[in-house]
Amino acid sequence: MKLKDLGEFNFINRISKSIRPSGRVVKGIGDDAAVLKYTKDKYLLFTTDMIIEGKHFYKSAKAESVGKKALSCNISDIAAMGGTPKFAVISVGLPGSLDLRYADGLYKGIRKAADSFKVDLVGGDTVSSGKIIINIALIGEVEKKNLTLRSGAKENDAIFITGNIGGSIKLKHLNFTPRVKEARFLVNNFKINSMIDVSDGLLADLGHILEESNKGAIICEKTIPVSRNALGFDSAVRDGEDFELVFTLPLPQAGRLEKAWPFATRLSRIGRVINRRKGFFIVSKDGKSKKISPAGFTHF
Ligand code: ADP
Ligand code: MG
């Protein structure tokens, strides 16, 4: 059997089943970041992401943007847990023939993202490689009361998304702002039951929330904020790398949230969490409801 026959998610499941976490692990594999015991009031968050030339970016992309992306996608995962990013280590695989200006550019981008989000860069590893590879691991913190998992969605929760989706195709994937301040506002002021950042695509990532929470959902096409750079509705809801936040909160808090939202970033209410047995549906613009299979981007 080949890896691609198993698929990315089954492969990760298989790893997950083979691991026995100790009592220090609050949440291991299966969320945007691992949640680890830390202090009386806080958890430590720990996440990593890797980007590879030819897969996540092309060599023609500006080095600074690539570096910024490499750290920003990790920061986005910390935001999705309700936390604050703190310390990063950066490992790079670089060809010996690489122009030094490109390597400096990568670090310029990494430093920019680190400065914007007060992340300390504290180490890494350097190896030679045929293609450019950047792997960053990031530690964050979250107050215990603010921890937001994928698994907490409740029936009748309102479903929201920040920003627009589908724009990643036109380079937004290289130039996005992780939604840390939005996430912190949410967890400090509302009862956010579940949250994820959109890396695999809206349907797939909302699907992860539903799966982990054992729930269904009904979402409404006309409320979904599609970017004007998107290739169309179907591709916008399935393509990955939007790095927006999808979250759910109790319906009675939805109106207050809409009134209190202080950011220029768009906020859209796109649906409601329902009983798992009813499934996952979308109501299209003509009022018909269709069952969704939440497939999005997978690596194999
Ligand atoms: P995200 O898109 O939020 O970064 P992923 O889909 O990459 O999340 O990963 C889902 C979960 O699987 C995470 O908890 C991640 O830590 C875990 N995971 C992914 N790859 C591996 C691996 N090779 N070994 C162990 N855990 C992994
Ligand atoms: Mg994520």
Side-chain angles (χ1 to χ4, degrees), residues 251-267:
L251 196 57
Q253 298 195 13
R256 180 163 72 85
L257 168 61
E258 286 167 323
K259 283 206 196 79
W261 188 248
F263 306 106
T265 307
R266 195 166 170 185
L267 177 72

PDB file of all heavy atoms in Angstrom, residues 251-267:
ATOM      1  N   LEU A 251     -26.128  30.826  20.094  1.00  0.00           N
ATOM      2  CA  LEU A 251     -26.972  31.721  19.297  1.00  0.00           C
ATOM      3  C   LEU A 251     -27.330  33.026  20.018  1.00  0.00           C
ATOM      4  O   LEU A 251     -27.260  34.095  19.409  1.00  0.00           O
ATOM      5  CB  LEU A 251     -28.238  30.959  18.877  1.00  0.00           C
ATOM      6  CG  LEU A 251     -29.056  31.559  17.750  1.00  0.00           C
ATOM      7  CD1 LEU A 251     -28.227  31.741  16.499  1.00  0.00           C
ATOM      8  CD2 LEU A 251     -30.264  30.668  17.466  1.00  0.00           C
ATOM      9  N   PRO A 252     -27.679  32.991  21.327  1.00  0.00           N
ATOM     10  CA  PRO A 252     -28.054  34.248  22.001  1.00  0.00           C
ATOM     11  C   PRO A 252     -26.918  35.281  22.033  1.00  0.00           C
ATOM     12  O   PRO A 252     -27.179  36.451  22.270  1.00  0.00           O
ATOM     13  CB  PRO A 252     -28.415  33.807  23.428  1.00  0.00           C
ATOM     14  CG  PRO A 252     -28.722  32.355  23.327  1.00  0.00           C
ATOM     15  CD  PRO A 252     -27.874  31.826  22.214  1.00  0.00           C
ATOM     16  N   GLN A 253     -25.658  34.863  21.792  1.00  0.00           N
ATOM     17  CA  GLN A 253     -24.556  35.832  21.807  1.00  0.00           C
ATOM     18  C   GLN A 253     -24.243  36.404  20.423  1.00  0.00           C
ATOM     19  O   GLN A 253     -23.435  37.326  20.290  1.00  0.00           O
ATOM     20  CB  GLN A 253     -23.286  35.172  22.370  1.00  0.00           C
ATOM     21  CG  GLN A 253     -23.460  34.723  23.802  1.00  0.00           C
ATOM     22  CD  GLN A 253     -22.127  34.406  24.487  1.00  0.00           C
ATOM     23  OE1 GLN A 253     -21.052  34.723  23.999  1.00  0.00           O
ATOM     24  NE2 GLN A 253     -22.225  33.778  25.638  1.00  0.00           N
ATOM     25  N   ALA A 254     -24.897  35.844  19.401  1.00  0.00           N
ATOM     26  CA  ALA A 254     -24.515  36.200  18.021  1.00  0.00           C
ATOM     27  C   ALA A 254     -24.794  37.673  17.703  1.00  0.00           C
ATOM     28  O   ALA A 254     -23.960  38.353  17.104  1.00  0.00           O
ATOM     29  CB  ALA A 254     -25.235  35.287  17.025  1.00  0.00           C
ATOM     30  N   GLY A 255     -25.960  38.161  18.122  1.00  0.00           N
ATOM     31  CA  GLY A 255     -26.326  39.549  17.824  1.00  0.00           C
ATOM     32  C   GLY A 255     -25.390  40.524  18.523  1.00  0.00           C
ATOM     33  O   GLY A 255     -24.931  41.505  17.923  1.00  0.00           O
ATOM     34  N   ARG A 256     -25.088  40.240  19.782  1.00  0.00           N
ATOM     35  CA  ARG A 256     -24.171  41.106  20.547  1.00  0.00           C
ATOM     36  C   ARG A 256     -22.792  41.134  19.885  1.00  0.00           C
ATOM     37  O   ARG A 256     -22.155  42.186  19.773  1.00  0.00           O
ATOM     38  CB  ARG A 256     -24.063  40.573  21.984  1.00  0.00           C
ATOM     39  CG  ARG A 256     -23.137  41.392  22.868  1.00  0.00           C
ATOM     40  CD  ARG A 256     -23.348  41.108  24.343  1.00  0.00           C
ATOM     41  NE  ARG A 256     -22.856  39.806  24.773  1.00  0.00           N
ATOM     42  CZ  ARG A 256     -21.604  39.547  25.134  1.00  0.00           C
ATOM     43  NH1 ARG A 256     -20.675  40.494  25.066  1.00  0.00           N
ATOM     44  NH2 ARG A 256     -21.256  38.340  25.531  1.00  0.00           N
ATOM     45  N   LEU A 257     -22.338  39.982  19.412  1.00  0.00           N
ATOM     46  CA  LEU A 257     -21.044  39.925  18.721  1.00  0.00           C
ATOM     47  C   LEU A 257     -21.063  40.800  17.472  1.00  0.00           C
ATOM     48  O   LEU A 257     -20.142  41.593  17.233  1.00  0.00           O
ATOM     49  CB  LEU A 257     -20.689  38.480  18.351  1.00  0.00           C
ATOM     50  CG  LEU A 257     -19.507  38.328  17.389  1.00  0.00           C
ATOM     51  CD1 LEU A 257     -18.229  38.905  17.983  1.00  0.00           C
ATOM     52  CD2 LEU A 257     -19.285  36.867  17.011  1.00  0.00           C
ATOM     53  N   GLU A 258     -22.120  40.677  16.682  1.00  0.00           N
ATOM     54  CA  GLU A 258     -22.185  41.461  15.436  1.00  0.00           C
ATOM     55  C   GLU A 258     -22.150  42.960  15.721  1.00  0.00           C
ATOM     56  O   GLU A 258     -21.519  43.727  14.993  1.00  0.00           O
ATOM     57  CB  GLU A 258     -23.429  41.070  14.628  1.00  0.00           C
ATOM     58  CG  GLU A 258     -23.254  39.700  13.973  1.00  0.00           C
ATOM     59  CD  GLU A 258     -24.528  39.102  13.418  1.00  0.00           C
ATOM     60  OE1 GLU A 258     -25.599  39.276  14.044  1.00  0.00           O
ATOM     61  OE2 GLU A 258     -24.459  38.447  12.359  1.00  0.00           O
ATOM     62  N   LYS A 259     -22.803  43.368  16.790  1.00  0.00           N
ATOM     63  CA  LYS A 259     -22.806  44.805  17.164  1.00  0.00           C
ATOM     64  C   LYS A 259     -21.455  45.239  17.722  1.00  0.00           C
ATOM     65  O   LYS A 259     -20.997  46.335  17.465  1.00  0.00           O
ATOM     66  CB  LYS A 259     -23.862  45.062  18.241  1.00  0.00           C
ATOM     67  CG  LYS A 259     -25.263  45.115  17.676  1.00  0.00           C
ATOM     68  CD  LYS A 259     -26.185  45.971  18.575  1.00  0.00           C
ATOM     69  CE  LYS A 259     -27.629  45.698  18.239  1.00  0.00           C
ATOM     70  NZ  LYS A 259     -28.103  44.427  18.869  1.00  0.00           N
ATOM     71  N   ALA A 260     -20.806  44.347  18.479  1.00  0.00           N
ATOM     72  CA  ALA A 260     -19.590  44.751  19.195  1.00  0.00           C
ATOM     73  C   ALA A 260     -18.321  44.646  18.349  1.00  0.00           C
ATOM     74  O   ALA A 260     -17.291  45.190  18.720  1.00  0.00           O
ATOM     75  CB  ALA A 260     -19.428  43.884  20.444  1.00  0.00           C
ATOM     76  N   TRP A 261     -18.396  43.931  17.204  1.00  0.00           N
ATOM     77  CA  TRP A 261     -17.199  43.657  16.388  1.00  0.00           C
ATOM     78  C   TRP A 261     -16.464  44.944  16.042  1.00  0.00           C
ATOM     79  O   TRP A 261     -16.981  45.777  15.297  1.00  0.00           O
ATOM     80  CB  TRP A 261     -17.640  42.922  15.114  1.00  0.00           C
ATOM     81  CG  TRP A 261     -16.513  42.402  14.265  1.00  0.00           C
ATOM     82  CD1 TRP A 261     -16.159  42.858  13.029  1.00  0.00           C
ATOM     83  CD2 TRP A 261     -15.638  41.308  14.565  1.00  0.00           C
ATOM     84  NE1 TRP A 261     -15.104  42.124  12.541  1.00  0.00           N
ATOM     85  CE2 TRP A 261     -14.757  41.165  13.466  1.00  0.00           C
ATOM     86  CE3 TRP A 261     -15.488  40.452  15.659  1.00  0.00           C
ATOM     87  CZ2 TRP A 261     -13.764  40.190  13.429  1.00  0.00           C
ATOM     88  CZ3 TRP A 261     -14.498  39.485  15.614  1.00  0.00           C
ATOM     89  CH2 TRP A 261     -13.655  39.364  14.512  1.00  0.00           C
ATOM     90  N   PRO A 262     -15.227  45.143  16.540  1.00  0.00           N
ATOM     91  CA  PRO A 262     -14.572  46.439  16.369  1.00  0.00           C
ATOM     92  C   PRO A 262     -13.575  46.505  15.212  1.00  0.00           C
ATOM     93  O   PRO A 262     -12.911  47.518  15.035  1.00  0.00           O
ATOM     94  CB  PRO A 262     -13.821  46.592  17.701  1.00  0.00           C
ATOM     95  CG  PRO A 262     -13.471  45.195  18.082  1.00  0.00           C
ATOM     96  CD  PRO A 262     -14.491  44.271  17.490  1.00  0.00           C
ATOM     97  N   PHE A 263     -13.428  45.430  14.433  1.00  0.00           N
ATOM     98  CA  PHE A 263     -12.335  45.370  13.452  1.00  0.00           C
ATOM     99  C   PHE A 263     -12.800  45.691  12.039  1.00  0.00           C
ATOM    100  O   PHE A 263     -13.969  45.507  11.703  1.00  0.00           O
ATOM    101  CB  PHE A 263     -11.719  43.969  13.461  1.00  0.00           C
ATOM    102  CG  PHE A 263     -11.286  43.546  14.824  1.00  0.00           C
ATOM    103  CD1 PHE A 263     -12.015  42.593  15.530  1.00  0.00           C
ATOM    104  CD2 PHE A 263     -10.174  44.112  15.427  1.00  0.00           C
ATOM    105  CE1 PHE A 263     -11.627  42.203  16.803  1.00  0.00           C
ATOM    106  CE2 PHE A 263      -9.778  43.734  16.701  1.00  0.00           C
ATOM    107  CZ  PHE A 263     -10.503  42.779  17.392  1.00  0.00           C
ATOM    108  N   ALA A 264     -11.844  46.119  11.200  1.00  0.00           N
ATOM    109  CA  ALA A 264     -12.151  46.327   9.784  1.00  0.00           C
ATOM    110  C   ALA A 264     -12.352  44.982   9.091  1.00  0.00           C
ATOM    111  O   ALA A 264     -13.090  44.882   8.110  1.00  0.00           O
ATOM    112  CB  ALA A 264     -11.010  47.090   9.118  1.00  0.00           C
ATOM    113  N   THR A 265     -11.696  43.950   9.611  1.00  0.00           N
ATOM    114  CA  THR A 265     -11.864  42.593   9.074  1.00  0.00           C
ATOM    115  C   THR A 265     -13.344  42.227   9.074  1.00  0.00           C
ATOM    116  O   THR A 265     -14.032  42.408  10.068  1.00  0.00           O
ATOM    117  CB  THR A 265     -11.135  41.576   9.983  1.00  0.00           C
ATOM    118  OG1 THR A 265      -9.790  42.005  10.139  1.00  0.00           O
ATOM    119  CG2 THR A 265     -11.178  40.181   9.405  1.00  0.00           C
ATOM    120  N   ARG A 266     -13.801  41.712   7.932  1.00  0.00           N
ATOM    121  CA  ARG A 266     -15.212  41.339   7.823  1.00  0.00           C
ATOM    122  C   ARG A 266     -15.568  40.212   8.789  1.00  0.00           C
ATOM    123  O   ARG A 266     -14.727  39.365   9.116  1.00  0.00           O
ATOM    124  CB  ARG A 266     -15.404  40.861   6.381  1.00  0.00           C
ATOM    125  CG  ARG A 266     -16.810  40.757   5.927  1.00  0.00           C
ATOM    126  CD  ARG A 266     -16.761  40.613   4.414  1.00  0.00           C
ATOM    127  NE  ARG A 266     -18.069  40.269   3.893  1.00  0.00           N
ATOM    128  CZ  ARG A 266     -18.295  39.995   2.609  1.00  0.00           C
ATOM    129  NH1 ARG A 266     -17.293  40.012   1.744  1.00  0.00           N
ATOM    130  NH2 ARG A 266     -19.513  39.706   2.204  1.00  0.00           N
ATOM    131  N   LEU A 267     -16.812  40.204   9.233  1.00  0.00           N
ATOM    132  CA  LEU A 267     -17.310  39.107  10.075  1.00  0.00           C
ATOM    133  C   LEU A 267     -18.630  38.653   9.470  1.00  0.00           C
ATOM    134  O   LEU A 267     -19.512  39.471   9.226  1.00  0.00           O
ATOM    135  CB  LEU A 267     -17.540  39.606  11.499  1.00  0.00           C
ATOM    136  CG  LEU A 267     -18.135  38.562  12.454  1.00  0.00           C
ATOM    137  CD1 LEU A 267     -17.078  37.510  12.800  1.00  0.00           C
ATOM    138  CD2 LEU A 267     -18.651  39.226  13.735  1.00  0.00           C
TER     139      LEU A 267
END
